[in-house]
Amino acid sequence: MEVIEKLSILADAAKYDASCASSGTQLRDSKGSSSIGSTTGMGICHSYAPDGRCISLLKILLTNLCIYDCVYCVNRHSSNVHRARFTTKEVVDLTISFYKRNYIEGLFLSSGIIQNPNYTMEQLVTVAKSLREDHGFRGYIHLKTIPDADESLIHQAGIYADRLSINIELPSTESLISLAPEKNVKSIRSSMGTLKSHIEESKEEQSSKKVSRITYVKKESKKALTKNAVRKTKRSEKLFAPAGQSTQMIVGADSSNDFKILTTSHQLYKSFGMRRVYYSAFSPIPDASKQLPLTEPPLLREHRIYQADWLMRFYGFQVSELVNTQTQPMLDLDIDPKLNWALRNRDIFPIDINRADREILLRVPGLGPRNVQRILQSRAFHRLSLEDLKRMRLSLKKIKPFISTADYHPASSLIDHENLKAKLVDPKQHQLTLF
Amino acid sequence: MTNACFIQLDEYATYEDWYPYARYCLHHHIVPSDVHWQNDNIDDLFCNDSNSQQLTIEQAQNFKPGNSNQIRVNRNFVILARYSCCFLHPDRFAVMYRILWRVVHEDNLLLADITDPDIHLANRWAKAVGRDRHKMKAFVRFKEIKFANEDPHYVAWFEPEHAIVKLTSDFFRDRFYGMDWSILTPYLCVHWVKGTLTFTQGCDKSQAPQEDALEDLWRTYYLNIFNPARLKVKAMCAEMPKKYWHNLPESSLIDPLIKQAERAKQAMIEKKPTDPLLPSKTKFDREKWINSK
Ligand code: SF4
């Protein structure tokens, strides 16, 4: 099979993984070397597909023939799709040639399980190792980690990769048992724990300067390096998976509600120091199983969950403030979770823009961390008016009901709930699922 | 007789070109309203104004303030100025000189007052330049030119909105250090060959190679990584504005993909589940494998 045909099958099979991030890793570049590659703080999206998703990495599977049979997955053993398998060299060559043309930031390599977890992990590590050692590649590498694989293999993966991830896929243990029979919750969690401790240890070691000297020097050129260059490479010691670990949960494949999903995420962030939990609306796949809902992917629900996740991580919200088992197990699809919270807690508004603390300002619908920072910064100079807020490009329509400023003091009782909600709901929002 | 002066700069001049003049004027106490920055190649009335002398680049560069007279300016100003001086607006140098003057003579915390009109404007320019730079890093596409017995050379054509080539060339050098490359733009070209960075005059698109053999693979990737069940054209266009499309090899696929998306999604939804072809006995027995380890 030609590489181009394999690529079409193995990219298609990889697209259900939402992550394409290339951010938050150690900064490095190829200065002074004969190789290529660098990383940036924010990552770069080199293209966008018509699904609005960023294309930052070459995201492919090594093979889509998996010996497991996870019901929701297009690559499951019992799926009747075309199968293909890359050689490790083909993946390495594709990555390098795409990178040289500035198409990508690096590679995100995953795979169906081949033979057994160890063999699969070995293959993934071989690719990353070859990129780093044979090509001196300094771009971004994200490797999928196979739970149940030996710790020594996971350790190697972390040496070469920037990020490692294990997808939890389903929010509840029961769903995992019924939909992913070969997977094992305990083993997934224990692998996540292993990653966490490796990541933390490596950071600690580096801060105490005892880190093992890991460098990406092309093997054959090692001898030729001058003393100076050696010192240089030593400074760029690589941490174990410096961009941390991430995971993904499928939304809408099982009956878990948003409360369950957000509670699970909260635990994942807390217990394993996840950098990100990705959510992927369960989407129709070629040759789907009878067991699953074959409908439009719940994109709006996915969007609301991302918003809630964001509020938990950057705005100081607790899960229980956004959803709860009894009265509100699902997020409101009409309005974003922060506005929903504000409407349920009207008595704290209006908030005085010129006096409120950071935590309180973050509760104002329409104000994000960056704008709050700017408000705090500029109110040190003078009391802020609506005009000042407008100059900061804030949407007055959104925030006005919730604030007071030097020149604006709304009646303390807000307009009644439904009315305000109706006013603030974007009429176009419902079309989100129709795009 | 005032010490008013006018300064002639190139249309695409940036911070480095502005700096010697600004330093000269600042040290000679020439107030902002007396400095006429001209960088649009149009004959301005000041050229004929007998009251205002042209400050030449030689004068500006030959002026070296003594150690005791050094004026210290916050590093944040330099960062802001490097960016906003790339914004192709005829007033950029005047505004930045005015800010410099105010920072030195009026308020050294001026930069933090983001509601100040000058600061607001400069920040807006800097932000636009930052965005333009970001898009350049993202959307430059190198095409390989092969030579017999020699390393290949990678060439890209790009049309930045502002004068960002110099400001962004370090990024490309540090990322593609081990290969030879050129980025051609209408106003300035940058080359990294055998470890040296050089700049040459701008050129037109016909100078750049039109194709690369790898583009078919890239298009194949783009085609297949797209999920037709999640069509969100607006989100794509917000991040990848149409004005960049003509230099992206994948852009020819966008319209057909959008047109076919609905049908592709419905086909997946309507397709009847099939019976598995693979015999289930090849399925994995996790317990057994764990025990055998
Ligand atoms: S292990 Fe499950 S989710 Fe992963 S590729 Fe195989 S079938 Fe798909």
Side-chain angles (χ1 to χ4, degrees), chain B residues 26-27 83 89 105 126-127 145 159 161 217 243 268 288:
Chain B
L26 190 66
H27 279 271
Y83 272 70
H89 189 288
H105 294 291
K127 208 172 154 192
I145 305 178
E159 290 158 59
E161 220 170 300
L217 277 168
K243 65 176 180 214
M268 285 194 281
K288 203 171 141 196

Coordinates of all heavy atoms in Angstrom, one line a residue, chain B residues 26-27 83 89 105 126-127 145 159 161 217 243 268 288:
Chain B
L26 N 15.4 63.1 21.4 CA 15.1 63.1 22.8 C 16.2 63.8 23.6 O 16.0 64.6 24.5 CB 15.0 61.7 23.3 CG 14.5 61.5 24.7 CD1 13.0 61.9 24.8 CD2 14.6 60.0 25.1
H27 N 17.5 63.5 23.2 CA 18.6 64.1 23.9 C 18.7 65.6 23.5 O 19.4 66.4 24.3 CB 19.9 63.4 23.5 CG 20.1 62.2 24.3 ND1 20.7 62.1 25.5 CD2 19.6 60.9 24.1 CE1 20.7 60.9 26.0 NE2 20.0 60.1 25.1
Y83 N 7.2 46.4 18.3 CA 6.0 45.9 17.6 C 5.2 47.0 16.9 O 4.9 46.9 15.7 CB 5.1 45.2 18.6 CG 5.5 43.7 18.8 CD1 6.6 43.4 19.5 CD2 4.6 42.7 18.3 CE1 7.0 42.0 19.6 CE2 5.0 41.4 18.5 CZ 6.2 41.0 19.1 OH 6.5 39.7 19.2
H89 N 1.3 52.4 9.4 CA 0.5 53.6 9.5 C 1.5 54.8 9.5 O 2.5 54.8 10.2 CB -0.3 53.6 10.9 CG -1.3 54.6 10.9 ND1 -1.0 55.9 11.1 CD2 -2.7 54.6 10.9 CE1 -2.1 56.7 11.1 NE2 -3.1 55.9 11.0
H105 N 9.5 62.4 30.3 CA 9.3 63.7 30.9 C 8.1 63.9 31.8 O 8.0 64.8 32.6 CB 9.3 64.8 29.8 CG 10.6 65.0 29.1 ND1 11.7 65.5 29.7 CD2 10.9 64.6 27.9 CE1 12.7 65.5 28.9 NE2 12.3 65.0 27.7
A126 N 0.4 47.3 18.2 CA 1.3 46.2 18.6 C 0.5 44.9 18.5 O 1.1 43.8 18.1 CB 1.8 46.4 20.0
K127 N -0.7 44.9 18.9 CA -1.5 43.7 18.9 C -1.7 43.2 17.5 O -1.6 42.0 17.2 CB -2.9 43.9 19.6 CG -3.5 42.7 20.2 CD -4.7 43.1 21.0 CE -5.6 41.9 21.1 NZ -6.9 42.2 21.6
I145 N 13.1 23.0 -3.2 CA 13.8 23.1 -4.5 C 15.0 22.1 -4.4 O 15.8 22.3 -3.6 CB 14.3 24.5 -4.9 CG1 13.1 25.5 -4.9 CG2 14.9 24.4 -6.3 CD1 13.6 26.9 -5.2
E159 N 2.6 37.1 2.1 CA 2.2 38.6 2.0 C 1.8 39.1 3.4 O 0.6 39.0 3.7 CB 1.1 38.7 1.0 CG 1.6 38.5 -0.4 CD 0.5 38.2 -1.4 OE1 -0.5 39.0 -1.5 OE2 0.5 37.1 -2.0
E161 N 0.8 41.7 6.4 CA 0.0 42.9 6.3 C 0.9 44.1 6.8 O 0.7 45.2 6.3 CB -1.1 42.8 7.3 CG -2.4 43.4 6.8 CD -3.6 43.0 7.7 OE1 -3.8 41.8 7.8 OE2 -4.2 43.9 8.2
L217 N 0.4 14.9 -0.3 CA 0.3 14.2 0.9 C -0.4 15.1 2.0 O -1.2 14.7 2.8 CB 1.7 13.8 1.4 CG 2.2 12.5 0.9 CD1 3.7 12.3 1.2 CD2 1.4 11.3 1.4
K243 N -8.0 35.8 3.3 CA -6.9 36.5 2.6 C -5.6 35.7 2.7 O -4.7 35.9 1.9 CB -6.7 37.9 3.3 CG -6.2 37.8 4.7 CD -5.9 39.2 5.2 CE -5.4 39.2 6.6 NZ -5.8 40.2 7.4
M268 N -23.1 8.4 7.1 CA -22.7 7.7 8.3 C -23.8 7.4 9.2 O -23.9 6.3 9.8 CB -21.6 8.5 9.0 CG -20.3 8.5 8.3 SD -19.0 9.1 9.4 CE -19.2 10.9 9.3
K288 N -5.2 -13.0 30.6 CA -4.2 -13.9 30.3 C -2.8 -13.3 30.0 O -1.8 -13.7 30.5 CB -4.7 -14.7 29.0 CG -4.1 -16.0 28.8 CD -4.8 -16.8 27.7 CE -3.7 -17.5 26.8 NZ -4.3 -17.9 25.5

